[in-house]
Each structure stands twice: as C-alpha cells, then as structure tokens.
Amino acid sequence: MIVQRLAQVCARPTTLRGFATKAKPPSFPTTPTCPSPTCACAPTPDFPEGFEIDHKTNINGLISNYAQHVLVCTGKDDWPSRIEDDNSGDNLAADLRELVGRGGQFNDPFHNISVLNASFPSSPAPKARPELQTTSAYLLPSFKYVPWLPRVSFDSVEALVRGYLLPEKLHRLHDGLSPIHRDRLLRKPAYQNALFGVKDVDEVVVLICGHGGRDQRCGVYGPLLRGEFEKRLPEKGIEVARGPVEVEVDGTTKALEDGEGKKAEKGKTAARVGLISHIGGHKFAGNVIIYIPPNQKTKDGTRHPLAGHGIWYGRVEPRHAEGIVEETILQGKVVEELFRGGITQEGEILRL
C-alpha cells in the first residue's frame, strides 16, 4: 500500500512549486521564445466558452512521469474517449493496458508505460504471411519500431512487454518484494527473439495530440498542426515520410516512402508527423512531442544536442511550427515559452 501511494505521488506532473530551491541550469540549449514566422501560416482557431486555451499557467514540468511511450499504429485520425474501447475492445492498446496498466500482471508504478494510439499506418504483413493480421508499434524513447504484432496471438503482446518494455533495473523501493516478484518485473531480452523485423527509429517523429473524441481543442488543433508541420519541414530540407514503413524480416528497411512513393534520399533527414491520443493537458493545446533519434545531426553536421530526447511543447499554434522546426529539430534548442518537459533515452524526465 505504501509503495502504491508513493508511486502515485511520483506519477504526478514533475513541477515542484513552493520550494525555495535554486534551479539548476538546463543540460540542453534553449531559446526564450519561438521566432516569428516568415511564412503565411494557418490562422489560430477560436474556441467556444468553456474550451479556452490556458495561457496563464506555468507549463514548465507539467508532464507525467513515464518511462516509455508505446504508439499503436492504427491508421486512424481519432478514437473513442477511452482508446481501449476502439473496435469493440479488440485492439492492441487494450491488450497492452491489460498487462502493464493498473492492476496488470506487469504493472510497475515506478516504471510507467504510457500506451497511446497513433495515426500512423501499420506496416504490411510479411510477404511470407500476407494473410496475417498484424499491428505495428513505436517504442519511444527507446527508438524502436516493431512492425508485426499478430492480432491472433497474445504471446506476441507479452513478448513485447517482457522483451522491450519492462525495466532492466528495478526502483529501490521494490527491494522488499519477493525474488520471484522482482524477477517478473524485470526485462528478459530472450523474449525479443519472438518478434521479427524490429528496427531502430532513425527519423524524427513529430506527435500532435489530436484526440477529438476526448476533447474538442485537441480535435481541432491536431489536424491543423499536422498540416502546418508537413508544410514547414520540407521548406527546411527535411523530407516528410508518409505511408507504412516497409521492413524486411532481417530488420533492414526496404523502403521509406512519401505520399508519391519516392524513397527518402539517403543521408537526408526525414520526419514522420502523426496524431496521437490523449497525453494530458487539453487546456494547453496544441500539444506536441518531438522525438529526436539518437543518430541525429544538426544542420551543420555536428551531433544534435537533443539526440535521443523527447521534447514536449504546449500552446503550440500554427505560427510556431516553422520556428520549432528551425530551433528544435535543426539546431537542437528547446523553446522555453512552449516547453512542458522532456525525457532522455535513459528515462530521465527533463524540466527547466
């Protein structure tokens, strides 16, 4: 009971207010404000009374503690308020939450696995099994892409959890658990052998909360911002990858295609832009998370300061898209006025 209570406290947003502690300087480059756009952007939408955007609250640190995002590739732009209810409950998000959600067999309150739906399409089934119904998933900030999770076998879902999502080391407050309980909560790399074609994510992933089935503000801002980022990225020399990721069984990418079926130019930065389900903070819409892959370089060829990081922004409007692409994706700077928080590949939660 005590462990559960402490975990609830740890799962709250990471903002620490009311303490007279001296803030440490951030470990990453920042810029105070987002540059003014040089382009004609889409207008900022108006919302009816009761759905206003909160422009007063300090949003620095207002993200929940989490260790991993699992993005279920649904190919849809919106979902029911509870994503587990999609397709009458027959969906990967429901299966995963059954295992790692509250009360689940592998639930660890100190290692929160956040399961989200995403608009990205799943990869086509392996050529050897074209009749197989599968679902794909992104694991971030592990930066892994799992192309084929068969919908006819719960074994693959458990393999995903035990092979990729559980922690490699338990929180010290688990020291009092029995050895068998501790063992159950630890990652077992052998389970990775049950999943084929898993590959590293080497493109920038731009995620926008577009969960209109949960809140009108996100439902309006999501598609609007997706369109704006898809316009501004190519203007800055970043290809927008569309369509499913095609993967060979040996894990090598067969094709990374845009909407016209062209392969992404080798060595050129590519990005995928998608809508996701609820991440918290409707009143701070538009909510955007940008995952920068570990191998990312800046536009001058040096190592990207935010490589391997996920950066959360709130109150993003269409006029901010160009500046975020330039400052954060190309130069590796966090825009302070929009920053909600972040996460490193090692799971450290970031704040200013």
Side-chain angles (χ1 to χ4, degrees), residues 145-174:
Y145 178 74
V146 185
W148 302 310
L149 289 158
R151 295 301 304 135
V152 296
S153 171
F154 202 79
D155 291 344
S156 64
V157 183
E158 184 171 341
L160 176 66
V161 171
R162 304 190 74 172
Y164 286 98
L165 298 180
L166 294 183
E168 295 177 301
K169 182 180 179 181
L170 294 181
H171 191 280
R172 64 182 182 276
L173 288 179
H174 283 317

PDB file of all heavy atoms in Angstrom, residues 145-174:
ATOM      1  N   TYR A 145      11.088   0.366 -33.587  1.00  0.00           N
ATOM      2  CA  TYR A 145       9.856   0.181 -34.351  1.00  0.00           C
ATOM      3  C   TYR A 145       9.600  -1.309 -34.475  1.00  0.00           C
ATOM      4  O   TYR A 145      10.461  -2.063 -34.946  1.00  0.00           O
ATOM      5  CB  TYR A 145       9.989   0.809 -35.741  1.00  0.00           C
ATOM      6  CG  TYR A 145       8.764   0.627 -36.617  1.00  0.00           C
ATOM      7  CD1 TYR A 145       7.603   1.353 -36.387  1.00  0.00           C
ATOM      8  CD2 TYR A 145       8.782  -0.275 -37.684  1.00  0.00           C
ATOM      9  CE1 TYR A 145       6.486   1.196 -37.191  1.00  0.00           C
ATOM     10  CE2 TYR A 145       7.667  -0.440 -38.491  1.00  0.00           C
ATOM     11  CZ  TYR A 145       6.520   0.293 -38.239  1.00  0.00           C
ATOM     12  OH  TYR A 145       5.416   0.124 -39.035  1.00  0.00           O
ATOM     13  N   VAL A 146       8.432  -1.734 -34.007  1.00  0.00           N
ATOM     14  CA  VAL A 146       8.049  -3.144 -34.044  1.00  0.00           C
ATOM     15  C   VAL A 146       6.989  -3.297 -35.135  1.00  0.00           C
ATOM     16  O   VAL A 146       5.848  -2.867 -34.955  1.00  0.00           O
ATOM     17  CB  VAL A 146       7.484  -3.605 -32.682  1.00  0.00           C
ATOM     18  CG1 VAL A 146       7.201  -5.107 -32.707  1.00  0.00           C
ATOM     19  CG2 VAL A 146       8.464  -3.258 -31.555  1.00  0.00           C
ATOM     20  N   PRO A 147       7.334  -3.884 -36.278  1.00  0.00           N
ATOM     21  CA  PRO A 147       6.405  -3.859 -37.419  1.00  0.00           C
ATOM     22  C   PRO A 147       5.265  -4.854 -37.348  1.00  0.00           C
ATOM     23  O   PRO A 147       4.182  -4.597 -37.879  1.00  0.00           O
ATOM     24  CB  PRO A 147       7.318  -4.156 -38.606  1.00  0.00           C
ATOM     25  CG  PRO A 147       8.436  -4.961 -38.032  1.00  0.00           C
ATOM     26  CD  PRO A 147       8.644  -4.449 -36.640  1.00  0.00           C
ATOM     27  N   TRP A 148       5.480  -6.008 -36.704  1.00  0.00           N
ATOM     28  CA  TRP A 148       4.493  -7.078 -36.810  1.00  0.00           C
ATOM     29  C   TRP A 148       4.159  -7.683 -35.457  1.00  0.00           C
ATOM     30  O   TRP A 148       4.917  -8.476 -34.902  1.00  0.00           O
ATOM     31  CB  TRP A 148       5.003  -8.177 -37.744  1.00  0.00           C
ATOM     32  CG  TRP A 148       5.318  -7.662 -39.112  1.00  0.00           C
ATOM     33  CD1 TRP A 148       4.520  -6.899 -39.920  1.00  0.00           C
ATOM     34  CD2 TRP A 148       6.536  -7.850 -39.831  1.00  0.00           C
ATOM     35  NE1 TRP A 148       5.156  -6.601 -41.096  1.00  0.00           N
ATOM     36  CE2 TRP A 148       6.396  -7.182 -41.081  1.00  0.00           C
ATOM     37  CE3 TRP A 148       7.724  -8.536 -39.573  1.00  0.00           C
ATOM     38  CZ2 TRP A 148       7.397  -7.161 -42.037  1.00  0.00           C
ATOM     39  CZ3 TRP A 148       8.722  -8.518 -40.514  1.00  0.00           C
ATOM     40  CH2 TRP A 148       8.563  -7.838 -41.737  1.00  0.00           C
ATOM     41  N   LEU A 149       2.995  -7.301 -34.937  1.00  0.00           N
ATOM     42  CA  LEU A 149       2.458  -7.912 -33.730  1.00  0.00           C
ATOM     43  C   LEU A 149       1.150  -8.589 -34.135  1.00  0.00           C
ATOM     44  O   LEU A 149       0.127  -7.936 -34.337  1.00  0.00           O
ATOM     45  CB  LEU A 149       2.200  -6.850 -32.657  1.00  0.00           C
ATOM     46  CG  LEU A 149       3.477  -6.252 -32.048  1.00  0.00           C
ATOM     47  CD1 LEU A 149       3.189  -4.898 -31.424  1.00  0.00           C
ATOM     48  CD2 LEU A 149       4.053  -7.208 -31.010  1.00  0.00           C
ATOM     49  N   PRO A 150       1.166  -9.924 -34.307  1.00  0.00           N
ATOM     50  CA  PRO A 150      -0.027 -10.640 -34.787  1.00  0.00           C
ATOM     51  C   PRO A 150      -1.228 -10.432 -33.868  1.00  0.00           C
ATOM     52  O   PRO A 150      -1.111 -10.534 -32.650  1.00  0.00           O
ATOM     53  CB  PRO A 150       0.419 -12.103 -34.802  1.00  0.00           C
ATOM     54  CG  PRO A 150       1.909 -12.047 -34.879  1.00  0.00           C
ATOM     55  CD  PRO A 150       2.299 -10.828 -34.103  1.00  0.00           C
ATOM     56  N   ARG A 151      -2.389 -10.158 -34.465  1.00  0.00           N
ATOM     57  CA  ARG A 151      -3.598  -9.936 -33.683  1.00  0.00           C
ATOM     58  C   ARG A 151      -4.274 -11.239 -33.272  1.00  0.00           C
ATOM     59  O   ARG A 151      -5.331 -11.221 -32.644  1.00  0.00           O
ATOM     60  CB  ARG A 151      -4.581  -9.068 -34.481  1.00  0.00           C
ATOM     61  CG  ARG A 151      -4.098  -7.660 -34.763  1.00  0.00           C
ATOM     62  CD  ARG A 151      -3.802  -6.867 -33.499  1.00  0.00           C
ATOM     63  NE  ARG A 151      -4.960  -6.816 -32.615  1.00  0.00           N
ATOM     64  CZ  ARG A 151      -4.902  -7.019 -31.308  1.00  0.00           C
ATOM     65  NH1 ARG A 151      -3.756  -7.312 -30.708  1.00  0.00           N
ATOM     66  NH2 ARG A 151      -5.996  -6.938 -30.563  1.00  0.00           N
ATOM     67  N   VAL A 152      -3.689 -12.364 -33.662  1.00  0.00           N
ATOM     68  CA  VAL A 152      -4.280 -13.654 -33.296  1.00  0.00           C
ATOM     69  C   VAL A 152      -3.539 -14.290 -32.123  1.00  0.00           C
ATOM     70  O   VAL A 152      -3.909 -15.365 -31.676  1.00  0.00           O
ATOM     71  CB  VAL A 152      -4.267 -14.633 -34.493  1.00  0.00           C
ATOM     72  CG1 VAL A 152      -5.152 -14.102 -35.597  1.00  0.00           C
ATOM     73  CG2 VAL A 152      -2.842 -14.871 -35.005  1.00  0.00           C
ATOM     74  N   SER A 153      -2.509 -13.635 -31.629  1.00  0.00           N
ATOM     75  CA  SER A 153      -1.694 -14.242 -30.574  1.00  0.00           C
ATOM     76  C   SER A 153      -1.387 -13.231 -29.486  1.00  0.00           C
ATOM     77  O   SER A 153      -0.795 -12.180 -29.754  1.00  0.00           O
ATOM     78  CB  SER A 153      -0.374 -14.775 -31.156  1.00  0.00           C
ATOM     79  OG  SER A 153       0.505 -15.186 -30.126  1.00  0.00           O
ATOM     80  N   PHE A 154      -1.796 -13.541 -28.248  1.00  0.00           N
ATOM     81  CA  PHE A 154      -1.459 -12.693 -27.112  1.00  0.00           C
ATOM     82  C   PHE A 154      -0.002 -12.890 -26.716  1.00  0.00           C
ATOM     83  O   PHE A 154       0.570 -12.057 -26.009  1.00  0.00           O
ATOM     84  CB  PHE A 154      -2.384 -13.011 -25.936  1.00  0.00           C
ATOM     85  CG  PHE A 154      -2.490 -11.893 -24.933  1.00  0.00           C
ATOM     86  CD1 PHE A 154      -3.296 -10.801 -25.179  1.00  0.00           C
ATOM     87  CD2 PHE A 154      -1.776 -11.935 -23.755  1.00  0.00           C
ATOM     88  CE1 PHE A 154      -3.392  -9.758 -24.267  1.00  0.00           C
ATOM     89  CE2 PHE A 154      -1.863 -10.906 -22.826  1.00  0.00           C
ATOM     90  CZ  PHE A 154      -2.679  -9.818 -23.084  1.00  0.00           C
ATOM     91  N   ASP A 155       0.602 -13.983 -27.187  1.00  0.00           N
ATOM     92  CA  ASP A 155       2.007 -14.252 -26.861  1.00  0.00           C
ATOM     93  C   ASP A 155       2.911 -13.126 -27.354  1.00  0.00           C
ATOM     94  O   ASP A 155       3.891 -12.773 -26.697  1.00  0.00           O
ATOM     95  CB  ASP A 155       2.456 -15.579 -27.470  1.00  0.00           C
ATOM     96  CG  ASP A 155       1.797 -16.789 -26.814  1.00  0.00           C
ATOM     97  OD1 ASP A 155       1.244 -16.622 -25.707  1.00  0.00           O
ATOM     98  OD2 ASP A 155       1.833 -17.872 -27.405  1.00  0.00           O
ATOM     99  N   SER A 156       2.598 -12.578 -28.526  1.00  0.00           N
ATOM    100  CA  SER A 156       3.442 -11.512 -29.073  1.00  0.00           C
ATOM    101  C   SER A 156       3.337 -10.246 -28.233  1.00  0.00           C
ATOM    102  O   SER A 156       4.316  -9.501 -28.091  1.00  0.00           O
ATOM    103  CB  SER A 156       3.057 -11.218 -30.526  1.00  0.00           C
ATOM    104  OG  SER A 156       1.732 -10.728 -30.606  1.00  0.00           O
ATOM    105  N   VAL A 157       2.155  -9.982 -27.671  1.00  0.00           N
ATOM    106  CA  VAL A 157       1.983  -8.820 -26.801  1.00  0.00           C
ATOM    107  C   VAL A 157       2.815  -8.987 -25.535  1.00  0.00           C
ATOM    108  O   VAL A 157       3.503  -8.063 -25.090  1.00  0.00           O
ATOM    109  CB  VAL A 157       0.494  -8.618 -26.455  1.00  0.00           C
ATOM    110  CG1 VAL A 157       0.311  -7.363 -25.596  1.00  0.00           C
ATOM    111  CG2 VAL A 157      -0.352  -8.530 -27.710  1.00  0.00           C
ATOM    112  N   GLU A 158       2.771 -10.185 -24.961  1.00  0.00           N
ATOM    113  CA  GLU A 158       3.579 -10.444 -23.770  1.00  0.00           C
ATOM    114  C   GLU A 158       5.070 -10.380 -24.092  1.00  0.00           C
ATOM    115  O   GLU A 158       5.860  -9.883 -23.283  1.00  0.00           O
ATOM    116  CB  GLU A 158       3.233 -11.809 -23.179  1.00  0.00           C
ATOM    117  CG  GLU A 158       3.965 -12.096 -21.880  1.00  0.00           C
ATOM    118  CD  GLU A 158       3.472 -13.339 -21.178  1.00  0.00           C
ATOM    119  OE1 GLU A 158       2.353 -13.795 -21.467  1.00  0.00           O
ATOM    120  OE2 GLU A 158       4.227 -13.865 -20.328  1.00  0.00           O
ATOM    121  N   ALA A 159       5.464 -10.846 -25.282  1.00  0.00           N
ATOM    122  CA  ALA A 159       6.873 -10.767 -25.686  1.00  0.00           C
ATOM    123  C   ALA A 159       7.319  -9.319 -25.805  1.00  0.00           C
ATOM    124  O   ALA A 159       8.451  -8.972 -25.441  1.00  0.00           O
ATOM    125  CB  ALA A 159       7.079 -11.507 -27.007  1.00  0.00           C
ATOM    126  N   LEU A 160       6.432  -8.459 -26.316  1.00  0.00           N
ATOM    127  CA  LEU A 160       6.761  -7.037 -26.420  1.00  0.00           C
ATOM    128  C   LEU A 160       6.994  -6.446 -25.040  1.00  0.00           C
ATOM    129  O   LEU A 160       7.979  -5.723 -24.816  1.00  0.00           O
ATOM    130  CB  LEU A 160       5.620  -6.301 -27.134  1.00  0.00           C
ATOM    131  CG  LEU A 160       5.765  -4.781 -27.243  1.00  0.00           C
ATOM    132  CD1 LEU A 160       6.938  -4.413 -28.138  1.00  0.00           C
ATOM    133  CD2 LEU A 160       4.471  -4.153 -27.768  1.00  0.00           C
ATOM    134  N   VAL A 161       6.107  -6.757 -24.116  1.00  0.00           N
ATOM    135  CA  VAL A 161       6.224  -6.217 -22.760  1.00  0.00           C
ATOM    136  C   VAL A 161       7.473  -6.740 -22.069  1.00  0.00           C
ATOM    137  O   VAL A 161       8.284  -5.964 -21.537  1.00  0.00           O
ATOM    138  CB  VAL A 161       4.966  -6.575 -21.932  1.00  0.00           C
ATOM    139  CG1 VAL A 161       5.171  -6.212 -20.460  1.00  0.00           C
ATOM    140  CG2 VAL A 161       3.744  -5.858 -22.492  1.00  0.00           C
ATOM    141  N   ARG A 162       7.670  -8.060 -22.090  1.00  0.00           N
ATOM    142  CA  ARG A 162       8.770  -8.663 -21.331  1.00  0.00           C
ATOM    143  C   ARG A 162      10.129  -8.465 -22.002  1.00  0.00           C
ATOM    144  O   ARG A 162      11.155  -8.423 -21.327  1.00  0.00           O
ATOM    145  CB  ARG A 162       8.500 -10.151 -21.112  1.00  0.00           C
ATOM    146  CG  ARG A 162       7.171 -10.417 -20.417  1.00  0.00           C
ATOM    147  CD  ARG A 162       7.002 -11.855 -19.983  1.00  0.00           C
ATOM    148  NE  ARG A 162       7.828 -12.137 -18.805  1.00  0.00           N
ATOM    149  CZ  ARG A 162       7.772 -13.265 -18.121  1.00  0.00           C
ATOM    150  NH1 ARG A 162       6.937 -14.233 -18.494  1.00  0.00           N
ATOM    151  NH2 ARG A 162       8.542 -13.457 -17.077  1.00  0.00           N
ATOM    152  N   GLY A 163      10.126  -8.321 -23.334  1.00  0.00           N
ATOM    153  CA  GLY A 163      11.390  -8.185 -24.045  1.00  0.00           C
ATOM    154  C   GLY A 163      11.857  -6.758 -24.258  1.00  0.00           C
ATOM    155  O   GLY A 163      13.056  -6.512 -24.396  1.00  0.00           O
ATOM    156  N   TYR A 164      10.911  -5.801 -24.275  1.00  0.00           N
ATOM    157  CA  TYR A 164      11.278  -4.431 -24.619  1.00  0.00           C
ATOM    158  C   TYR A 164      10.804  -3.370 -23.626  1.00  0.00           C
ATOM    159  O   TYR A 164      11.436  -2.311 -23.526  1.00  0.00           O
ATOM    160  CB  TYR A 164      10.717  -4.074 -26.001  1.00  0.00           C
ATOM    161  CG  TYR A 164      11.446  -4.721 -27.145  1.00  0.00           C
ATOM    162  CD1 TYR A 164      10.959  -5.875 -27.735  1.00  0.00           C
ATOM    163  CD2 TYR A 164      12.632  -4.179 -27.644  1.00  0.00           C
ATOM    164  CE1 TYR A 164      11.620  -6.474 -28.795  1.00  0.00           C
ATOM    165  CE2 TYR A 164      13.305  -4.760 -28.701  1.00  0.00           C
ATOM    166  CZ  TYR A 164      12.794  -5.910 -29.274  1.00  0.00           C
ATOM    167  OH  TYR A 164      13.472  -6.506 -30.322  1.00  0.00           O
ATOM    168  N   LEU A 165       9.714  -3.600 -22.917  1.00  0.00           N
ATOM    169  CA  LEU A 165       9.108  -2.519 -22.143  1.00  0.00           C
ATOM    170  C   LEU A 165       9.434  -2.544 -20.656  1.00  0.00           C
ATOM    171  O   LEU A 165       9.489  -1.492 -20.016  1.00  0.00           O
ATOM    172  CB  LEU A 165       7.586  -2.545 -22.327  1.00  0.00           C
ATOM    173  CG  LEU A 165       7.089  -2.325 -23.750  1.00  0.00           C
ATOM    174  CD1 LEU A 165       5.562  -2.367 -23.801  1.00  0.00           C
ATOM    175  CD2 LEU A 165       7.599  -0.999 -24.309  1.00  0.00           C
ATOM    176  N   LEU A 166       9.635  -3.702 -20.076  1.00  0.00           N
ATOM    177  CA  LEU A 166       9.946  -3.762 -18.644  1.00  0.00           C
ATOM    178  C   LEU A 166      11.331  -3.168 -18.388  1.00  0.00           C
ATOM    179  O   LEU A 166      12.194  -3.146 -19.272  1.00  0.00           O
ATOM    180  CB  LEU A 166       9.882  -5.200 -18.142  1.00  0.00           C
ATOM    181  CG  LEU A 166       8.510  -5.876 -18.161  1.00  0.00           C
ATOM    182  CD1 LEU A 166       8.608  -7.277 -17.556  1.00  0.00           C
ATOM    183  CD2 LEU A 166       7.470  -5.045 -17.425  1.00  0.00           C
ATOM    184  N   PRO A 167      11.583  -2.691 -17.168  1.00  0.00           N
ATOM    185  CA  PRO A 167      12.878  -2.076 -16.858  1.00  0.00           C
ATOM    186  C   PRO A 167      13.993  -3.117 -16.741  1.00  0.00           C
ATOM    187  O   PRO A 167      13.745  -4.288 -16.422  1.00  0.00           O
ATOM    188  CB  PRO A 167      12.629  -1.394 -15.515  1.00  0.00           C
ATOM    189  CG  PRO A 167      11.561  -2.221 -14.874  1.00  0.00           C
ATOM    190  CD  PRO A 167      10.664  -2.651 -16.003  1.00  0.00           C
ATOM    191  N   GLU A 168      15.198  -2.675 -16.991  1.00  0.00           N
ATOM    192  CA  GLU A 168      16.367  -3.536 -16.808  1.00  0.00           C
ATOM    193  C   GLU A 168      16.821  -3.550 -15.350  1.00  0.00           C
ATOM    194  O   GLU A 168      17.526  -4.458 -14.922  1.00  0.00           O
ATOM    195  CB  GLU A 168      17.504  -3.054 -17.708  1.00  0.00           C
ATOM    196  CG  GLU A 168      17.187  -3.178 -19.191  1.00  0.00           C
ATOM    197  CD  GLU A 168      18.288  -2.620 -20.067  1.00  0.00           C
ATOM    198  OE1 GLU A 168      18.595  -1.422 -19.921  1.00  0.00           O
ATOM    199  OE2 GLU A 168      18.828  -3.382 -20.881  1.00  0.00           O
ATOM    200  N   LYS A 169      16.385  -2.532 -14.606  1.00  0.00           N
ATOM    201  CA  LYS A 169      16.720  -2.440 -13.187  1.00  0.00           C
ATOM    202  C   LYS A 169      15.511  -1.893 -12.452  1.00  0.00           C
ATOM    203  O   LYS A 169      14.869  -0.945 -12.914  1.00  0.00           O
ATOM    204  CB  LYS A 169      17.933  -1.527 -12.974  1.00  0.00           C
ATOM    205  CG  LYS A 169      18.390  -1.415 -11.537  1.00  0.00           C
ATOM    206  CD  LYS A 169      19.599  -0.491 -11.421  1.00  0.00           C
ATOM    207  CE  LYS A 169      20.059  -0.355  -9.974  1.00  0.00           C
ATOM    208  NZ  LYS A 169      21.224   0.563  -9.848  1.00  0.00           N
ATOM    209  N   LEU A 170      15.176  -2.462 -11.289  1.00  0.00           N
ATOM    210  CA  LEU A 170      14.004  -2.036 -10.539  1.00  0.00           C
ATOM    211  C   LEU A 170      14.316  -0.866  -9.611  1.00  0.00           C
ATOM    212  O   LEU A 170      15.459  -0.679  -9.168  1.00  0.00           O
ATOM    213  CB  LEU A 170      13.452  -3.196  -9.709  1.00  0.00           C
ATOM    214  CG  LEU A 170      12.880  -4.386 -10.481  1.00  0.00           C
ATOM    215  CD1 LEU A 170      12.359  -5.436  -9.505  1.00  0.00           C
ATOM    216  CD2 LEU A 170      11.781  -3.950 -11.435  1.00  0.00           C
ATOM    217  N   HIS A 171      13.286  -0.095  -9.314  1.00  0.00           N
ATOM    218  CA  HIS A 171      13.394   1.006  -8.358  1.00  0.00           C
ATOM    219  C   HIS A 171      13.751   0.438  -6.983  1.00  0.00           C
ATOM    220  O   HIS A 171      13.341  -0.662  -6.619  1.00  0.00           O
ATOM    221  CB  HIS A 171      12.055   1.744  -8.300  1.00  0.00           C
ATOM    222  CG  HIS A 171      12.110   3.049  -7.566  1.00  0.00           C
ATOM    223  ND1 HIS A 171      12.073   3.143  -6.189  1.00  0.00           N
ATOM    224  CD2 HIS A 171      12.195   4.329  -8.038  1.00  0.00           C
ATOM    225  CE1 HIS A 171      12.136   4.419  -5.833  1.00  0.00           C
ATOM    226  NE2 HIS A 171      12.199   5.160  -6.924  1.00  0.00           N
ATOM    227  N   ARG A 172      14.493   1.209  -6.208  1.00  0.00           N
ATOM    228  CA  ARG A 172      14.976   0.727  -4.900  1.00  0.00           C
ATOM    229  C   ARG A 172      13.827   0.403  -3.936  1.00  0.00           C
ATOM    230  O   ARG A 172      13.996  -0.404  -3.023  1.00  0.00           O
ATOM    231  CB  ARG A 172      15.911   1.759  -4.262  1.00  0.00           C
ATOM    232  CG  ARG A 172      15.257   3.081  -3.922  1.00  0.00           C
ATOM    233  CD  ARG A 172      16.260   4.073  -3.330  1.00  0.00           C
ATOM    234  NE  ARG A 172      15.640   5.333  -2.948  1.00  0.00           N
ATOM    235  CZ  ARG A 172      15.415   6.324  -3.799  1.00  0.00           C
ATOM    236  NH1 ARG A 172      15.757   6.191  -5.070  1.00  0.00           N
ATOM    237  NH2 ARG A 172      14.843   7.441  -3.380  1.00  0.00           N
ATOM    238  N   LEU A 173      12.658   1.014  -4.139  1.00  0.00           N
ATOM    239  CA  LEU A 173      11.535   0.717  -3.252  1.00  0.00           C
ATOM    240  C   LEU A 173      10.930  -0.652  -3.523  1.00  0.00           C
ATOM    241  O   LEU A 173      10.041  -1.090  -2.799  1.00  0.00           O
ATOM    242  CB  LEU A 173      10.462   1.809  -3.372  1.00  0.00           C
ATOM    243  CG  LEU A 173      10.831   3.150  -2.741  1.00  0.00           C
ATOM    244  CD1 LEU A 173       9.706   4.162  -2.933  1.00  0.00           C
ATOM    245  CD2 LEU A 173      11.131   2.990  -1.250  1.00  0.00           C
ATOM    246  N   HIS A 174      11.415  -1.323  -4.564  1.00  0.00           N
ATOM    247  CA  HIS A 174      10.986  -2.702  -4.821  1.00  0.00           C
ATOM    248  C   HIS A 174      11.880  -3.713  -4.101  1.00  0.00           C
ATOM    249  O   HIS A 174      11.673  -4.927  -4.240  1.00  0.00           O
ATOM    250  CB  HIS A 174      11.024  -3.004  -6.322  1.00  0.00           C
ATOM    251  CG  HIS A 174       9.864  -2.430  -7.082  1.00  0.00           C
ATOM    252  ND1 HIS A 174       8.581  -2.480  -6.620  1.00  0.00           N
ATOM    253  CD2 HIS A 174       9.813  -1.804  -8.290  1.00  0.00           C
ATOM    254  CE1 HIS A 174       7.779  -1.898  -7.498  1.00  0.00           C
ATOM    255  NE2 HIS A 174       8.490  -1.483  -8.515  1.00  0.00           N
TER     256      HIS A 174
END
